[in-house]
Amino acid sequence: MLRGLYTAASGLVTQQRRHDTITTNISNIQTPGYKAQNTMVRSFPEMLLHLIGDEPASRANSTIGTLHNGVYAEELVHQFMQGDLEQTGRPTDFALVSHMTEVDGTAYAFDASGQAVTEDGDTLYQPQAFFAIEAGDGTQRYTRNGQFQLTNEGMLVHASGAPVLNRNGESVVLGADAAGIAYTMDRVAVSEGGLLVDKATGQAINDENGDPLALGIAQINNPNELVLEGNGLYRLDSEDAEVAFVADTSQVQVLQGYSERSNVDAARSMVEMMEATRAYEANQKMIQFYDRSLEKTVSEIGRV
């Protein structure tokens, strides 16, 4: 009986975590660049029961069957599918359109979940593109929220205040034109490759080193290694993770005056929330049933 109680309790906790994840997704429907999360549910290992003990030889060590021990929420998995684009008209808003299909120079056919299987049977994940941001400790962070701002010093920053990086891994700082007039985003156009150019002359804007200034678009080969920190920022904890700045407009495009919306499906999220609620209620009733059974065992049978 207690095994059934533990199974129902594990299901109760798992459905609550599913409900919390779905609630987080729904609350971020209007968050630019937000990527939906899914709770991965796994079952505990099955137990194989055998009949042993002081039994006749014909029944000794005979198999009874398997016993299930419930489920648990293993991890949160982000869904990095492309979100819809919304035209804002603001020159400091940028959206990434990422459709990468190449890993180490080889093109693969990725399915809707962003996975592909190699000839050797290995699973690959579709690379994704992110804006590169500099954190306070000097390390890089990655985001799909391109609603940036320009400071009085001409630095392009994320909504959190963190500097946006260029292809050289340095802060994007708009200088002045040949006449010494400081650039503003109204005078700057950004190409699909992320290159910043002067609208009036069509010439590329250079950084302090004299190199063409371009937004740093980071390619993450395995986006499942990213860890969400908040404010739409991700970090990479894996030491083996490879990050490179890309400028291939056939794989990634930068659109100025656009913002990428959340990829949360509101209708599907509501259905999943109702499923989690009903499953939670079912496990709750099972726990109440076991509670009444134990109460009856103690109060009635225990007196015999």
Side-chain angles (χ1 to χ4, degrees):
M1 181 180 294
L2 290 178
R3 286 176 177 172
L5 182 63
Y6 296 150
T7 300
S10 67
L12 197 73
V13 174
T14 299
Q15 297 305 324
Q16 165 136 23
R17 292 184 178 177
R18 280 191 63 205
H19 188 278
D20 293 343
T21 302
I22 298 169
T23 302
T24 301
N25 288 338
I26 294 177
S27 63
N28 284 279
I29 287 180
Q30 300 298 327
T31 302
Y34 179 82
K35 300 303 177 183
Q37 304 177 74
N38 285 340
T39 302
M40 302 302 297
V41 178
R42 296 285 187 270
S43 60
F44 288 106
E46 295 181 351
M47 297 176 59
L48 182 62
L49 302 182
H50 290 269
L51 180 64
I52 59 176
D54 298 333
E55 298 290 340
S58 60
R59 297 177 55 191
N61 297 323
S62 60
T63 300
I64 298 177
T66 58
L67 177 66
H68 296 271
N69 292 302
V71 297
Y72 66 100
E74 183 180 36
E75 61 179 342
L76 290 178
V77 176
H78 289 84
Q79 304 298 315
F80 290 100
M81 291 87 69
Q82 180 76 43
D84 295 333
L85 301 183
E86 178 183 8
Q87 187 173 8
T88 64
R90 292 188 291 267
T92 54
D93 286 354
F94 303 94
L96 289 178
V97 180
S98 175
H99 38 76
M100 295 183 174
T101 58
E102 294 185 0
V103 178
D104 296 331
T106 303
Y108 295 91
F110 293 94
D111 57 20
S113 64
Q115 297 184 18
V117 179
T118 65
E119 296 179 353
D120 298 331
D122 298 328
T123 301
L124 294 178
Y125 298 96
Q126 186 173 15
Q128 296 292 333
F130 295 85
F131 294 108
I133 308 296
E134 182 180 357
D137 57 359
T139 58
Q140 292 183 7
R141 297 295 185 269
Y142 310 97
T143 184
R144 289 296 287 261
N145 182 2
Q147 291 189 348
F148 302 142
Q149 301 173 4
L150 191 67
T151 66
N152 295 331
E153 292 77 21
M155 178 181 294
L156 199 63
V157 297
H158 181 256
S160 63
V164 179
L165 300 181
N166 60 23
R167 290 181 190 168
N168 297 325
E170 301 173 347
S171 301
V172 175
V173 180
L174 299 179
D177 58 15
I181 302 176
Y183 279 110
T184 60
M185 287 305 300
D186 293 333
R187 301 174 52 202
V188 176
V190 179
S191 68
E192 291 188 351
L195 189 67
L196 279 69
V197 299
D198 189 326
K199 284 184 178 181
T201 64
Q203 300 296 321
I205 299 175
N206 296 331
D207 58 16
E208 296 178 351
N209 301 322
D211 299 324
L213 189 59
L215 297 177
I217 310 302
Q219 175 179 334
I220 309 298
N221 286 334
N222 186 358
N224 292 319
E225 295 179 342
L226 292 169
V227 179
L228 181 63
E229 285 192 343
N231 292 323
L233 297 178
Y234 297 88
R235 73 172 188 271
L236 273 175
D237 289 339
S238 176
E239 296 180 355
D240 299 331
E242 297 181 359
V243 179
F245 291 112
V246 297
D248 188 357
T249 56
S250 66
Q251 298 283 310
V252 182
Q253 286 88 43
V254 181
L255 300 181
Q256 186 179 17
Y258 287 82
S259 178
E260 182 182 2
R261 303 181 62 183
S262 166
N263 66 354
V264 176
D265 188 330
R268 179 177 178 181
S269 295
M270 292 303 299
V271 172
E272 291 178 347
M273 178 174 287
M274 288 188 289
E275 290 178 351
T277 302
R278 297 294 182 268
Y280 183 92
E281 292 173 350
N283 283 283
Q284 187 180 38
K285 291 179 180 179
M286 288 301 300
I287 291 177
Q288 292 173 348
F289 168 77
Y290 282 116
D291 180 64
R292 289 193 297 268
S293 299
L294 290 172
E295 181 182 2
K296 189 171 184 179
T297 300
V298 173
S299 60
E300 296 183 11
I301 301 178
R303 289 183 300 194
V304 177

